């Protein structure tokens, strides 16, 4: 939907569904990510933000380090038990609607750190919307995850945080 | 190697330091001898020393009696021993008498047991319910006069904070904007490298090393493989050595690029990040064409390399050497005489050479204090003495010097790369040694001997002779060492990393106390603390 159509919306009598669409349009194009970088994947996330790949082309370059200001948590890196408590707390501080991307094998499943200190995937502590495979994933894969998330927002798929177990 | 009795330990170490010039305590670790012959007493504590300038190294080993499992601390002789001993306590359960703060360092506060003991199951996970509030340490620093200090404010920074570079945390006591006390906490990326390394073959460890200092993965590959080659008495071929030199220096450049770029962002000079990261991408492109990965290279093998250079490598490197000076020049023009930048970094986070040595500094952070400590000169390997280049040193040991040492080192690295590319010898990249190198495929399919050889290396692994070995290289952050214990089988019995930034970060309270809170951020960036290497 373009701006012109939104302007024409006023007085059109179908406000509830339309407003929803406006909201979705707005949300899709202004995701504010909180980069929760802990390890190697975070270095690749830096590359995603830098000029050659340029996340801003998708309207998601306004990285916010405050959970209160962001709606997309990108966990890039290994989460160990010492860190997991903090991650859960940060996630809880974000306002709804909120989405989570697990970037890389570690965040998704613990990768080859199958040992005494590493959490075997962040979905043990927070719900995840999109998993990106790779160790580390290429920047293109991260861009793909972001556009995929945008597609879902557009289609009205509720974030994982709002779905109860089993409804996925 | 010296073996000493617990009672004589302090005297021996002190005399090594004062009378023999071994002023740098590189690392302290322990070996759990449970599965080795001669397992009584069970633990062997290892101290690795080196003069701050010079190549000799000495290892002092001491076995605490099994009954009380304790040694005297040496943290009053070297500041670096403070964290090192805490780690030994955390991982092995050996205690150090009179240590000022003997608590866990890598594992969390609720952890029970000692994970690097041989009888600790690698998969036994333990959850943490609440992070440590660190108040026990803070109270000690405040001297107990908590109530009266109405002026002071406690501020927790990290581990999820943009300026803490990922996985570091510090609790600071502030008076206005002045930092009175700093309590750092690490271990937020302790992902069990050393325990995992004991589970596979020697070759399986290589991808794990990629993820130590992931800003310059290939340097860790080389540091590790070089140590194993040392155990086996293998010298890589001339071509492999020269390729390794090129990769080491490209790795150093990549590392310094990230460090300087992030540091400049921290002090508000964002534009430089775009300039410098573009150059990093250029190097990524070349490395990716070489080994298929941008960040985690895994290109080096024990006895050589995964394969030879690709066609086009030379042009790629030429492109880097052509473009990088422009980016460095741009950055220099933006910041070198920029008043805001200078105010933020000159004189900030300064440390004297003497203190830095006591803390176990090596690499750019020590060179910034004016000490020409560089293994490439002190103990030349891979023909580093045959290249024309300089060791860059600073004078004040502050954040400015640390940034500038790195800027200049990138230029020196470019000189080395250019010379190495020019003299690049021909020949194979892997040694012709049945113990480590896979035979060529044509042979494997053609005769039984080669087939057997291939099978043995893959199934049982490379087998260094039983014994202990410490090997190190000059990595981007300083001396990256590996202390490896072999029991003669194809699996390492123990792999201990000597992470350069662990010791640098141990000086963080010293570098920040008395300064302004904003200086803390500029200081941290200039130290280049990489969590993967710090916590392993
Ligand atoms: S997935 Fe791989 S690259 Fe990413 S944090 Fe884990 S080990 Fe590092």
């Amino acid at each position: 939907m373009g701006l012109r159509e939104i302007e024409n919306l006023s007085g059109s009598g179908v406000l509830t569904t339309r407003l929803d669409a406006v909201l979705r349009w707005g949300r899709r194009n202004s995701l504010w990510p909180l980069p929760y970088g802990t390890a190697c994947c975070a270095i690749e996330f830096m590359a995603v933000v830098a000029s050659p790949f340029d996340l801003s082309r998708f309207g998601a370059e306004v990285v916010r380090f405050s959970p209160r200001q962001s709606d997309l948590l990108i966990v890039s890196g290994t989460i160990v038990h010492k860190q997991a408590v903090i991650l859960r707390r940060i996630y809880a501080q974000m306002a709804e609607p909120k989405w989570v991307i697990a970037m890389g094998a570690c965040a998704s499943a613990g990768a080859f750190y199958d040992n005494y200190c590493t959490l075997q995937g962040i979905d043990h502590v927070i719900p995840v919307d999109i998993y990106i495979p790779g160790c580390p994933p290429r920047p293109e894969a991260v861009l793909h995850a972001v556009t995929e998330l945008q597609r879902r927002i557009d289609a009205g798929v509720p974030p994982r945080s709002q779905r109860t177990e089993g409804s996925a | 190697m010296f073996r000493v009795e617990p009672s004589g330990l302090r005297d021996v170490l002190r005399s090594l330091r004062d009378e023999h010039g071994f002023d740098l305590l590189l690392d302290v670790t322990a070996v759990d001898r449970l599965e080795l012959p001669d397992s009584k007493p069970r633990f062997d504590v290892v101290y690795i020393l080196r003069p701050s300038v010079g190549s000799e190294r000495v290892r002092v080993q001491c076995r605490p009696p099994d009954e009380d499992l304790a040694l005297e601390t040496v943290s009053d002789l070297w500041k670096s021993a403070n964290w090192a001993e805490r780690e030994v306590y955390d991982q092995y359960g050996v205690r150090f008498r009179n240590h000022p703060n003997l608590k866990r360092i890598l594992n969390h506060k609720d952890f029970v047991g000692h994970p690097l003991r041989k009888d600790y199951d690698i998969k036994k996970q333990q959850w943490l319910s609440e992070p440590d509030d660190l108040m026990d340490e803070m109270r000690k620093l405040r001297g107990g006069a908590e109530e009266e200090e109405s002026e002071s404010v406690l501020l927790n920074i990290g581990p999820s904070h943009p300026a803490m570079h990922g996985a570091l945390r510090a609790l600071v006591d502030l008076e206005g904007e002045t930092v009175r006390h700093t309590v750092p906490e690490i271990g937020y990326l302790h992902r069990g490298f050393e325990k995992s390394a004991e589970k596979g073959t020697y070759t399986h460890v290589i991808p794990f090393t990629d993820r130590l200092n992931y800003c310059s993965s290939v340097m860790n590959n080389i540091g590790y493989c070089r140590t194993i080659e040392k155990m086996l008495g293998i010298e890589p071929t001339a071509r492999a050595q020269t390729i390794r030199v090129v990769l080491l220096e490209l790795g150093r450049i990549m590392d310094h690029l990230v460090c300087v770029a992030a540091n400049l962002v921290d002090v508000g000079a964002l534009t430089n990040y775009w300039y410098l990261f573009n150059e990093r991408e250029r190097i990524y492109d070349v490395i990716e064409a070489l080994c298929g990965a941008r960040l985690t290279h895994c290109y080096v093998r024990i006895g050589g390399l995964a394969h030879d250079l690709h066609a086009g490598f030379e042009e790629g490197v030429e492109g880097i050497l052509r473009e990088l000076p422009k980016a460095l020049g741009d950055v220099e023009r933006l910041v070198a005489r920029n008043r805001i930048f200078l105010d933020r970094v000159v004189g900030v986070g300064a440390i004297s050479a003497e203190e830095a040595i006591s803390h176990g500094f090596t690499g750019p952070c020590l060179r910034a204090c004016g000490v020409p400590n560089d293994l490439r000169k002190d103990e030349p390997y891979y023909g580093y003495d045959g290249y024309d280049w300089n060791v860059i040193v600073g004078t004040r040991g502050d954040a400015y010097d640390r940034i500038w040492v790195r800027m200049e080192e990138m230029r020196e690295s470019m000189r080395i790369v250019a010379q190495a590319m020019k003299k690049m010898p021909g020949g194979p990249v892997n040694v012709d040694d049945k113990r480590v190198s896979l035979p060529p495929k044509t042979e494997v399919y053609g005769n039984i001997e080669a087939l057997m050889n291939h099978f043995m290396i893959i199934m049982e692994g490379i087998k260094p002779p039983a014994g202990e070995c410490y090997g190190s290289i000059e990595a981007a952050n300083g001396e990256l060492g590996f202390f490896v214990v072999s029991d003669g089988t194809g699996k390492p019995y123990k792999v201990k990393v000597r992470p350069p930034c662990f010791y640098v970060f141990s000086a963080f309270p010293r570098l920040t106390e008395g300064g302004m809170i904003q200086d803390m951020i500029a200081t941290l960036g200039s130290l280049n603390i990489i969590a993967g290497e710090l916590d392993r």
Side-chain angles (χ1 to χ4, degrees):
Chain A
M1 180 165 54
L3 263 183
R4 183 53 41 78
E5 288 128 289
I6 296 175
E7 276 165 16
N8 291 341
L9 273 179
S10 46
S12 69
V14 278
L15 263 179
T16 40
T17 58
R18 283 296 180 171
L19 192 59
D20 194 44
V22 175
L23 268 179
R24 290 209 296 257
W25 171 81
R27 274 178 188 151
R28 183 195 65 191
N29 292 310
S30 64
L31 286 167
W32 284 17
L34 188 166
Y36 198 98
T38 62
C40 354
C41 277
I43 305 291
E44 274 301 65
F45 186 79
M46 287 169 80
V48 178
V49 190
S51 352
F53 294 97
D54 197 6
L55 189 58
S56 58
R57 290 180 292 155
F58 305 92
E61 85 282 18
V62 191
V63 289
R64 278 291 173 268
F65 289 94
S66 163
R68 315 265 182 209
Q69 297 173 347
S70 45
D71 51 5
L72 170 60
L73 182 65
I74 301 185
V75 181
S76 41
T78 324
I79 300 293
V80 298
H81 285 295
K82 202 169 184 173
Q83 181 80 260
V85 220
I86 314 273
L87 175 64
R88 194 153 42 177
R89 196 179 279 182
I90 297 282
Y91 175 77
Q93 288 171 351
M94 291 169 68
E96 293 283 358
K98 52 185 170 187
W99 292 271
V100 176
I101 292 180
M103 174 180 177
C106 281
S108 303
F112 61 6
Y113 295 102
D114 187 6
N115 57 29
Y116 61 93
C117 42
T118 310
L119 189 68
Q120 302 298 299
I122 58 169
D123 50 10
H124 286 282
V125 291
I126 59 173
V128 175
D129 290 279
I130 295 192
Y131 300 84
I132 316 177
C135 182
R138 290 190 58 91
E140 292 91 333
V142 180
L143 297 179
H144 181 211
V146 171
T147 50
E148 167 63 18
L149 186 64
Q150 290 178 329
R151 192 193 60 73
R152 288 195 200 173
I153 294 173
D154 233 6
V157 180
R160 207 75 173 78
S161 61
Q162 294 173 1
R163 281 184 273 167
T164 45
E165 266 325 301
S167 70
Chain B
M1 201 272 279
F2 289 99
R3 178 161 294 292
V4 296
E5 287 304 314
S7 55
L9 176 68
R10 278 179 61 91
D11 292 336
V12 170
L13 288 175
R14 198 202 316 258
S15 97
L16 281 170
R17 183 190 71 170
D18 297 340
E19 284 146 41
H20 303 277
F22 289 92
D23 51 354
L24 204 57
L25 176 66
L26 285 176
D27 208 5
V28 183
T29 184
V31 184
D32 178 3
R33 302 191 54 96
L34 191 65
E35 293 164 7
L36 291 178
D38 175 26
S39 65
K40 273 198 178 5
R42 176 169 166 186
F43 293 94
D44 197 357
V45 180
V46 184
Y47 300 80
I48 302 166
L49 297 103
R50 181 193 154 192
S52 52
V53 179
S55 68
E56 298 136 276
R57 248 181 229 101
V58 43
R59 231 168 51 225
V60 175
Q61 304 197 184
C62 180
R63 293 168 78 165
D66 279 344
E67 303 79 59
D68 74 338
L69 220 50
L71 290 176
E72 284 298 322
T73 180
V74 290
S75 55
D76 53 330
L77 301 180
W78 284 279
K79 298 211 170 83
S80 58
N82 187 323
W83 279 20
E85 290 178 348
R86 276 177 70 184
E87 186 180 321
V88 173
Y89 164 70
D90 184 7
Q91 301 281 44
Y92 290 95
V94 176
R95 286 175 305 106
F96 293 88
R97 279 188 290 267
N98 302 322
H99 188 285
N101 179 33
L102 195 65
K103 62 185 264 190
R104 288 192 183 275
I105 186 163
L106 296 179
N107 293 296
H108 58 72
K109 69 179 193 329
D110 295 348
F111 203 90
V112 181
H114 303 283
L116 285 191
R117 287 190 175 187
K118 286 287 169 182
D119 48 11
Y120 189 95
D121 176 16
I122 183 169
K123 295 214 181 167
K124 187 169 160 219
Q125 302 210 339
Q126 302 190 26
W127 288 70
L128 173 68
S129 54
E130 266 293 302
D132 192 348
D133 64 6
L134 302 180
M135 282 311 288
D136 53 335
E137 290 178 63
M138 187 51 96
R139 268 188 218 109
K140 249 190 253 170
L141 291 174
R142 281 174 151 187
E146 213 170 321
E147 260 60 64
E148 291 124 61
E149 312 201 9
S150 52
E151 292 298 298
S152 86
V153 176
L154 284 183
L155 181 69
N156 179 70
I157 314 178
S160 171
H161 185 280
M164 293 310 273
H165 293 268
L168 312 169
R169 177 184 174 203
L171 180 66
V172 289
D173 185 11
L174 290 177
E175 190 172 329
E177 286 183 72
T178 308
V179 177
R180 297 177 62 225
H181 306 293
T182 308
V183 179
E185 195 196 16
I186 65 167
Y188 284 100
L189 192 59
H190 174 54
R191 42 188 179 179
F193 165 81
E194 284 155 20
K195 187 87 175 172
S196 297
E198 294 169 11
K199 291 296 143 192
T201 64
Y202 283 89
T203 313
H204 284 150
V205 179
I206 299 172
F208 281 108
T209 63
D210 274 325
R211 289 143 180 92
L212 291 169
N213 179 351
Y214 34 70
C215 290
S216 49
S217 301
V218 74
M219 301 183 95
N220 309 304
N221 290 172
I222 295 174
Y224 169 75
C225 290
R226 182 161 176 263
T227 308
I228 308 301
E229 285 159 5
K230 194 170 155 192
M231 295 180 95
L232 286 154
I234 288 175
E235 185 76 352
T237 64
R239 183 168 175 84
Q241 292 195 15
T242 315
I243 296 176
R244 284 185 185 185
V245 168
V246 172
L247 293 174
L248 280 168
E249 296 312 314
L250 288 179
R252 194 177 320 278
I253 292 172
M254 284 205 280
D255 204 279
H256 288 357
L257 282 174
V258 179
C259 173
V260 174
N263 202 178
L264 290 172
V265 174
D266 287 342
V267 298
L270 181 67
T271 322
N272 301 284
Y273 171 71
W274 316 120
Y275 287 173
L276 294 177
F277 233 81
N278 282 349
E279 293 317 307
R280 205 178 139 91
E281 283 292 338
R282 202 182 307 279
I283 305 179
Y284 272 160
D285 287 345
V286 175
I287 301 249
E288 190 185 5
L290 174 66
C291 66
R294 288 160 50 86
L295 192 73
T296 42
H297 310 136
C298 196
Y299 170 65
V300 181
R301 293 291 180 276
I302 298 165
L305 303 165
H307 48 75
D308 206 340
L309 299 176
H310 59 279
F313 182 80
E314 206 178 326
E315 292 78 57
V317 172
E318 273 164 21
I320 296 167
L321 296 181
R322 194 173 52 241
E323 299 300 324
L324 184 59
K326 293 184 198 159
L328 295 181
D330 283 342
V331 169
E332 213 167 274
R333 264 193 300 284
L334 274 173
V335 300
R337 278 189 295 279
N338 183 317
R339 189 60 201 273
I340 306 172
F341 169 73
L342 295 176
D343 282 352
R344 290 290 318 264
V345 292
V346 174
V348 165
I351 188 167
S352 69
E354 200 180 322
E355 266 183 292
I357 290 169
S358 173
H359 270 287
F361 277 39
T362 50
C365 291
L366 182 55
R367 293 196 280 274
C369 305
V371 184
N373 163 295
D374 194 317
L375 280 174
R376 292 173 292 172
K377 286 274 192 221
D378 294 343
E379 187 201 73
Y381 47 93
Y382 299 162
Y384 266 114
D385 43 352
Y387 300 108
D388 177 22
W389 64 283
N390 300 312
V391 175
I392 307 291
V393 291
T395 49
R396 287 176 301 247
D398 57 1
Y400 177 86
D401 278 0
R402 288 190 283 265
I403 295 175
W404 235 255
V405 163
R406 288 197 173 86
M407 288 287 282
E408 290 305 320
E409 275 186 15
M410 285 193 258
R411 297 206 164 95
E412 294 300 319
S413 292
M414 282 190 279
R415 290 175 61 192
I416 301 176
V417 171
Q419 294 168 48
M421 289 306 291
K422 208 156 143 206
K423 74 161 222 200
M424 182 67 70
V429 294
N430 280 306
V431 290
D432 183 17
D433 187 323
K434 282 198 175 56
R435 293 174 300 164
V436 296
S437 299
L438 291 175
K441 275 282 178 294
T442 46
E443 296 278 312
V444 175
Y445 295 136
N447 72 61
I448 184 72
E449 202 184 321
L451 181 68
M452 288 290 289
N453 187 201
H454 183 101
F455 182 82
M456 294 301 270
I457 291 183
I458 297 292
M459 296 309 289
E460 294 194 350
I462 293 165
K463 294 181 186 165
E468 296 162 347
C469 180
Y470 175 82
S472 59
I473 60 158
E474 184 69 30
N477 261 341
E479 174 157 355
L480 172 73
F482 289 86
F483 175 70
V484 182
V485 181
S486 159
D487 56 1
T489 66
K491 285 181 182 177
Y493 186 78
K494 173 193 167 72
V495 181
K496 168 69 170 72
V497 183
R498 190 253 172 212
C501 70
F502 180 82
Y503 292 101
V504 171
F505 195 53
S506 74
F508 194 53
R510 157 68 191 81
L511 290 169
T512 52
E513 282 166 0
M516 307 279 272
I517 178 80
Q518 61 270 32
D519 292 347
M520 183 169 173
I521 303 307
T523 304
L524 178 66
S526 70
L527 298 177
N528 195 31
I529 307 301
I530 305 293
E533 172 185 285
L534 175 75
D535 297 337
R536 290 150 282 142

